[in-house]
Amino acid sequence: MTIKSNIPIISEWDIVAARQAGREAAKKMNFGTVDQARITTAISELARNIFLYAMPGNIIVEEIHENNKYGLKITAADQGPGIENIKLALEDGYTTSGGLGAGVPGVKRLMDEFSIDSEVGRGTVVVAVKWL
Ligand SMILES: Nc1ncnc2c1ncn2[C@@H]1O[C@H](COP(=O)(O)OP(=O)(O)O)[C@@H](O)[C@H]1O
Ligand SMILES: [Mg+2]
């Protein structure tokens, strides 16, 4: 059966639930422990950003097949305030909350594919894929 789970982020505990769903999916797909850690870290950062800046939102974890590739796709979608300057948000150390500003650039580094689609006043969708 194809793996797919959708975790609504409506409280801080849901960050843990999203992380666990990611770890389970990565294990089932036979990712190694290092990639499992990359995937769960990426999910944590994206879920935490929804929690901090844009609740409510959803984290979707799913198995994908493209050409001959097999991968795990994370979609973090919210209807929050959006990100005004995506280029800035991708820079290390950029934060509007006194955080570390390492979340978004970290996710980009940890995963194989990464995209952000955001519109001020409408929300943000981040998609990240790790190929097996
Ligand atoms: N889902 C989101 N909705 C709105 N703004 C966001 C979202 N995710 C990230 N941001 C913005 O991008 C900035 C950088 O995010 P990040 O790299 O995770 O660093 P940090 O969370 O430590 O500030 C945040 O401070 C916030 O302004
Ligand atoms: Mg963050």
Side-chain angles (χ1 to χ4, degrees), residues 45-55 76-86 88-107 116 118 123-126:
E45 292 297 336
L46 294 173
R48 181 157 296 281
N49 282 351
I50 293 174
F51 171 72
L52 288 174
Y53 313 116
M55 272 212 297
D78 66 66
Q79 295 185 312
I83 299 174
E84 246 176 75
N85 189 333
I86 293 177
L88 262 185
L90 280 163
E91 278 177 21
D92 275 306
Y94 175 78
T95 181
T96 58
S97 69
L100 290 176
V104 172
V107 173
I116 300 188
S118 188
T124 302
V125 179
V126 179

Side-chain angles (χ1 to χ4, degrees), residues 13 68 106 114 116:
W13 301 109
N68 285 322
F114 178 88
I116 300 188

Side-chain angles (χ1 to χ4, degrees), residues 17-72:
R19 212 187 144 84
Q20 277 168 356
R23 183 174 297 280
E24 271 170 39
K27 267 191 193 167
K28 274 190 197 155
M29 290 177 67
N30 287 321
F31 278 100
T33 52
V34 174
D35 274 347
Q36 285 177 33
R38 289 185 176 115
I39 289 163
T40 52
T41 302
I43 290 173
S44 292
E45 292 297 336
L46 294 173
R48 181 157 296 281
N49 282 351
I50 293 174
F51 171 72
L52 288 174
Y53 313 116
M55 272 212 297
N58 294 72
I59 297 282
I60 298 162
V61 176
E62 62 192 315
E63 175 190 336
I64 56 165
H65 297 265
E66 236 174 61
N67 304 322
N68 285 322
K69 291 188 293 185
Y70 181 55
L72 185 149

